[in-house]
Amino acid sequence: MNLIPLLQQAASGGSFVPLVALGLIFVIFYVFIIGPQKKEQKKTQEMIAGAQKGDKIITIGGIHGVITSVKENTIILKVDDGCKLEMNRSAIATVLLDEKTKANRLENTPEKASLLSSLFGKKKEKKAEVSDAEKPQPPDFAGESK
């Protein structure tokens, strides 16, 4: 009995499964590794591009300082009273913002519409602040008799 034709039939019928497995592995890598890394890189680029005069930063070398001047590709960093360093923007590791600066920058940034709201035309409504006179008051039980 010759087994070669049987083996050839078995090998030709199962060639689709490894391709699906390879595609599934690529999807898993994209979802868990490539996608989050792109998101983090975009966030870092926005942070570097948003660095302004007066921001406290930490460089990738560990130098702490305050930005005194911003140029197209470089910044001038004040490290001490008489010490200024000129560095590439790419040397910024972290921008340290206090609460006031964070609040001011969040107020000035335009609000991004979500995908669903842009598709269905629903807009976010801001809640109107209610004054103390308009707020419902709890019942006064002091006047009741026992």
Side-chain angles (χ1 to χ4, degrees):
M1 184 184 227
N2 196 357
L3 295 176
I4 294 176
L6 293 175
L7 292 174
Q8 287 176 345
Q9 285 179 345
S12 66
S15 64
F16 184 67
V17 174
L19 290 176
V20 171
L22 187 63
L24 186 63
I25 289 171
F26 180 74
V27 168
I28 289 171
F29 265 90
Y30 186 82
V31 168
F32 289 111
I33 296 174
I34 298 169
Q37 185 175 359
K38 281 185 178 181
K39 186 176 180 182
E40 186 69 28
Q41 186 177 13
K42 183 179 177 184
K43 188 176 170 184
T44 304
Q45 290 296 329
E46 289 175 356
M47 177 191 62
I48 290 172
Q52 299 174 357
K53 181 179 177 180
D55 288 347
K56 295 178 183 177
I57 66 166
I58 302 173
T59 65
I60 56 175
I63 299 172
H64 293 242
V66 178
I67 298 175
T68 59
S69 178
V70 178
K71 297 179 183 177
E72 186 175 330
N73 293 324
T74 61
I75 58 168
I76 296 179
L77 186 66
K78 180 180 177 185
V79 180
D80 198 11
D81 289 334
C83 183
K84 292 184 179 180
L85 304 172
E86 186 170 359
M87 302 184 156
N88 287 339
R89 281 183 174 255
S90 60
I92 298 173
T94 308
V95 177
L96 304 172
L97 299 175
D98 57 346
E99 296 302 320
K100 289 180 182 179
T101 309
K102 282 183 185 178
N104 288 340
R105 290 193 184 169
L106 285 176
E107 287 176 1
N108 294 336
T109 57
E111 189 173 322
K112 293 181 181 178
S114 68
L115 178 63
L116 292 176
S117 65
S118 64
L119 289 175
F120 298 111
K122 294 181 182 177
K123 295 184 179 179
K124 292 182 180 180
E125 296 179 13
K126 293 185 178 181
K127 294 180 181 179
E129 292 186 25
V130 180
S131 66
D132 289 334
E134 296 174 2
K135 288 183 182 178
Q137 299 296 324
D140 185 21
F141 295 112
E144 293 183 3
S145 62
K146 290 188 177 181

